[in-house]
Amino acid sequence: MMLHDLAMGFDVVLTFSNLSYLLLSVLIGTLVGILPGLGPAATIAILLPVTYSLGPTTGIIMLAGIYYGSQYGGSTTAILLNTPGENSSVMTCIDGNIMAKQGRAGVALFAAAISSFIAGIIMVFVIAFLGPYLSSIAFKFGPAEYTLLMLFGFVSVTLLTDEDILKGLAVAFLGTLFGLVGTDINSGIERFTFNSTNLIDGIKFTSVAVGIFAISEILKNILNESSVTNYTNNIKLSPTKNDIKRIIPSALRGTAVGGFLGLLPGGGITVSSYAAYALDKKISKNKDEFGKGAIEGVAAPEAANNASSQAGFIPLLSLGLPENAVTAILLGALIMHGIVPGPNVLQNHPELFWGLCASMVIGNLILLILNFPLVKIWTSILKIPYHILYPIILTVCCLGTYTISNNIHDIFIVAFFGLIGYIFLILELSPVTFILGFVLGDMFEDNFRRSLAISDGSFSIFYKTDVGIGLIIMIGLFLVLGIYKSIKVK
Amino acid sequence: MLLNKNLTTGIFLILSGTLFAFFSSTFNIGTISSMGPGLFPLILSACIIVIGVLISIKGFINPDKVTYHIKTPLLLITLIIVSGIISEYAGLILGMSCLLITSSMFHRKFNIKHAVISSVSVSLLLVIAKFTIFPTLPI
């Protein structure tokens, strides 16, 4: 049954146009992963308008390709230049760059690519299995359960992104408030629009995403100039049998960690790569080599970050719950294409779900094969000094946002959220929680309102069903953990 | 320049919460079972204000200093706004070139030659884009 569906998925993907878009997107993703200061979140946000005309299936295939492609790219610079292109590549820097200095850059790159590939393929099958299962139980989720689920999402993201739980909740609520700007679905009244026609439909989340992620990242890099280190010239890919014997178990462990953590809201690529590295260090027979060029130190985090980036699609497609900035933006993209996220996606749009699964298999394959010859090109791009790169990135970002609706107002929004992003940066508040709240804003209110309307004002609706009770317990648990964590730090 | 992180965060939250609360109260609040457009934002704003107070108290007890800059961020933000205005009235090529060249001045390794080359390349890309994929670009 599942194989039949997957076959349909391959049918969808293996068309000339879909394949070319997939190829393009994984290449862009790798490039984005390599460039510091430009992350998948901002890129996906900018490329969203391009995908409008492509249709939802192709659009999501493209955007997903950028996401997991960026994980491959981040590891290349981490290994060769000790510069993590993405947060998730930080762990790869440790052993990867040391291996490069030892002249084993090729082996490290191979380990990263193969581990990411293994993780990617395994996760496709996990998605193919878990997705429909979750969709089937998602019908048990009524408005009360969805409200609790979103609340759980906020709490979980905060806990796992290492932030004070109170601050995280406040930022999530702030994001939600900004998400409410615009016309209220229920009453038709315009809220917080100050009679501006531009805000009637709400604030464009592309502008918010670009402002909060891209602009603040550029500001951070300008104000905090650090130098880029050495470059290894001879990249020979020659892993030994022993290397492969060590890579595979690490990759499998990394996949398990990443796949599991990736399901939880906030358990994103960064947390997964840290956890996988730590686990492998504890378990491995070669634990003394960690920090001095252990190949497991590259394999485990790389598998984990790829696994978790793909795992994030499961709750997105089956429950309509985004886990991190990227899936939140993808959720927005789905809504824009007219697809109501939730358990119905699988029923009403099976070609989207299975097409995405199939595209992940092919995408990972493309990345594995293409990245070997392309490594030289990527690293030469990196030789472009940052003072030339960042103005281009900045301009492309603003340009992209402007061209969405040729409206200068969008640039003002980008500027405003760039400022907010910078404030968050100084105060060490997380923009991810903010954007999660922003995307979920309307739905959060809608579900909350409906729950209370159904129960006629009684809050018992939240603990009537077992799903509801389960979620309340999880929220309580995570809150307690969060408070315990912030007290421990003091 | 140093700031007390928690106190500033708390004040920031209290201010934003109050702002949103003020505007939410101008809408119909309604009752719990039939929520008006103002009730939910009011609840959220109230939560934010409460958390803001708690964090400010934490800031008094446990001062944690962070550094910040004012000039550069504000300048960059203003630059983006100005370039946007220029793009609107004088076309994208001028606006984006202005953004590119002026934003590159923030780095100590600023080199006018590089900046001009970059801006010419981006402008070329824009022209190509106009004649291929984006015919409606206001160059």
Side-chain angles (χ1 to χ4, degrees):
Chain A
M1 186 45 188
M2 187 181 89
L3 283 178
H4 169 76
D5 291 318
L6 259 181
M8 173 195 29
F10 276 104
D11 223 0
V12 169
V13 178
L14 289 172
T15 63
F16 184 67
S17 73
N18 276 347
L19 271 181
S20 3
Y21 283 119
L22 181 62
L23 179 65
L24 185 65
S25 68
V26 297
L27 285 177
I28 294 178
T30 315
L31 184 64
V32 165
I34 286 181
L35 289 174
L38 190 61
T43 316
I44 292 177
I46 296 176
L47 286 177
L48 267 174
V50 175
T51 64
Y52 288 165
S53 50
L54 297 175
T57 310
T58 316
I60 266 244
I61 289 178
M62 256 198 90
L63 299 173
I66 296 179
Y67 187 32
Y68 54 83
S70 67
Q71 303 314 308
Y72 276 80
S75 57
T76 308
T77 55
I79 293 171
L80 292 176
L81 298 160
N82 209 24
T83 310
E86 295 301 318
N87 288 340
S88 53
S89 324
V90 170
M91 300 316 287
T92 318
C93 274
I94 301 179
D95 283 273
N97 188 244
I98 295 185
M99 282 179 75
K101 291 194 181 132
Q102 291 169 348
R104 296 164 67 213
V107 181
L109 286 169
F110 177 80
I114 266 283
S115 312
S116 301
F117 180 71
I118 293 176
I121 298 300
I122 294 181
M123 283 316 292
V124 172
F125 287 99
V126 171
I127 294 176
F129 180 66
L130 263 188
Y133 174 68
L134 270 181
S135 288
S136 63
I137 63 171
F139 283 106
K140 289 193 186 171
F141 281 69
E145 286 77 26
Y146 264 107
T147 314
L148 288 171
L149 187 66
M150 289 186 217
L151 205 54
F152 171 65
F154 292 155
V155 170
S156 174
V157 172
T158 310
L159 183 71
L160 291 168
T161 51
D162 206 36
E163 203 183 279
D164 194 331
I165 197 115
L166 286 179
K167 286 187 197 169
L169 271 178
V171 170
F173 289 161
L174 196 62
T176 314
L177 281 172
F178 275 104
L180 294 177
V181 170
T183 311
D184 175 22
I185 318 170
N186 222 34
S187 56
I189 295 184
E190 295 166 21
R191 288 187 292 190
F192 311 123
T193 57
F194 307 111
N195 288 323
S196 159
T197 42
N198 290 302
L199 292 177
I200 289 185
D201 280 324
I203 304 179
K204 280 214 186 62
F205 64 86
T206 317
S207 318
V208 176
V210 169
I212 274 207
F213 290 105
I215 306 284
S216 63
E217 183 70 25
I218 290 177
L219 272 172
K220 181 170 93 170
N221 287 322
I222 298 179
L223 294 167
N224 188 11
E225 304 157 13
S226 46
S227 53
V228 174
T229 47
N230 39 43
Y231 168 62
T232 319
N233 265 308
N234 283 328
I235 302 174
K236 267 180 263 166
L237 301 162
S238 44
T240 65
K241 218 171 169 188
N242 192 31
D243 287 329
I244 300 186
K245 255 168 80 178
R246 288 168 64 175
I247 293 176
I248 301 213
S250 276
L252 290 174
R253 281 193 291 265
T255 310
V257 171
F260 174 67
L261 283 178
L263 284 175
L264 296 174
I269 47 190
T270 317
V271 172
S272 307
S273 55
Y274 286 167
Y277 186 87
L279 179 73
D280 239 51
K281 193 167 174 184
K282 268 207 175 126
I283 296 186
S284 167
K285 296 176 219 132
N286 305 306
K287 56 177 85 167
D288 317 314
E289 280 188 45
F290 275 76
K292 295 185 206 134
I295 205 168
E296 291 90 343
V298 172
E302 281 304 313
N305 68 28
N306 222 43
S308 114
S309 66
Q310 287 181 211
F313 284 91
I314 300 180
L316 176 69
L317 290 174
S318 54
L319 295 173
L321 180 75
E323 315 232 295
N324 48 39
V326 172
T327 40
I329 297 177
L330 287 174
L331 181 72
L334 281 173
I335 297 177
M336 293 225 143
H337 279 290
I339 296 184
V340 178
N344 295 308
V345 172
L346 193 58
Q347 277 198 339
N348 300 340
H349 302 274
E351 76 284 353
L352 179 77
F353 185 83
W354 298 108
L356 184 65
C357 287
S359 76
M360 284 181 180
V361 174
I362 302 183
N364 276 295
L365 200 63
I366 296 178
L367 283 164
L368 181 69
I369 300 176
L370 276 191
N371 270 306
F372 292 130
L374 289 179
V375 158
K376 298 251 168 78
I377 303 183
W378 300 139
T379 44
S380 60
I381 290 182
L382 257 169
K383 280 190 185 163
I384 302 177
Y386 195 65
H387 72 269
I388 299 184
L389 212 54
Y390 83 83
I392 300 182
I393 296 176
L394 178 66
T395 312
V396 168
C397 282
C398 292
L399 195 60
T401 324
Y402 181 75
T403 52
I404 295 179
S405 18
N406 284 349
N407 189 346
I408 188 184
H409 195 259
D410 291 335
I411 298 208
F412 296 157
I413 304 269
V414 169
F416 176 71
F417 281 100
L419 192 62
I420 300 261
Y422 181 65
I423 294 178
F424 280 12
L425 198 68
I426 315 172
L427 297 176
E428 291 169 17
L429 297 171
S430 165
V432 178
T433 334
F434 182 85
I435 212 143
L436 207 69
F438 181 79
V439 174
L440 290 179
D442 277 330
M443 282 187 285
F444 194 26
E445 178 185 34
D446 193 39
N447 281 298
F448 188 57
R449 186 185 257 153
R450 263 197 275 161
S451 324
L452 290 175
I454 294 175
S455 70
D456 212 21
S458 156
F459 280 90
S460 65
I461 192 175
F462 292 110
Y463 51 82
K464 255 196 201 152
T465 60
D466 28 344
V467 178
I469 296 180
L471 281 168
I472 292 182
I473 294 179
M474 297 273 276
I475 294 176
L477 186 71
F478 274 49
L479 273 174
V480 166
L481 278 171
I483 297 178
Y484 171 70
K485 214 169 82 163
S486 48
I487 296 180
K488 207 170 93 164
V489 165
K490 272 197 231 165
Chain B
M1 287 176 272
L2 289 173
L3 264 183
N4 182 333
K5 178 173 87 176
N6 287 324
L7 185 60
T8 319
T9 311
I11 295 178
F12 172 69
L13 289 174
I14 295 175
L15 280 175
S16 352
T18 318
L19 208 67
F20 273 105
F22 173 68
F23 287 113
S24 323
S25 57
T26 62
F27 299 112
N28 180 21
I29 301 285
T31 61
I32 284 273
S33 57
S34 113
M35 291 170 64
L39 184 56
F40 191 65
L42 198 61
I43 297 177
L44 287 180
S45 317
C47 292
I48 294 178
I49 295 176
V50 166
I51 295 180
V53 170
L54 287 172
I55 295 185
S56 309
I57 296 178
K58 188 171 166 191
F60 276 120
I61 300 177
N62 195 15
D64 207 3
K65 302 283 183 192
V66 285
T67 56
Y68 71 104
H69 301 89
I70 295 192
K71 227 176 45 177
T72 313
L74 274 181
L75 247 132
L76 189 67
I77 304 289
T78 320
L79 214 69
I80 298 176
I81 298 178
V82 167
S83 313
I85 300 179
I86 297 181
S87 304
E88 178 84 346
Y89 293 110
L92 274 177
I93 291 189
L94 277 175
M96 291 299 130
S97 305
C98 159
L99 179 63
L100 211 145
I101 297 182
T102 43
S103 67
S104 42
M105 292 197 222
F106 284 104
H107 201 278
R108 56 186 164 88
K109 283 200 205 147
F110 170 61
N111 183 330
I112 185 94
K113 252 193 318 185
H114 292 153
V116 170
I117 298 178
S118 302
S119 84
V120 167
S121 332
V122 171
S123 310
L124 266 169
L125 271 170
L126 272 174
V127 173
I128 296 176
K130 169 137 186 147
F131 290 111
T132 50
I133 32 176
F134 277 130
T136 57
L137 265 188
I139 291 195

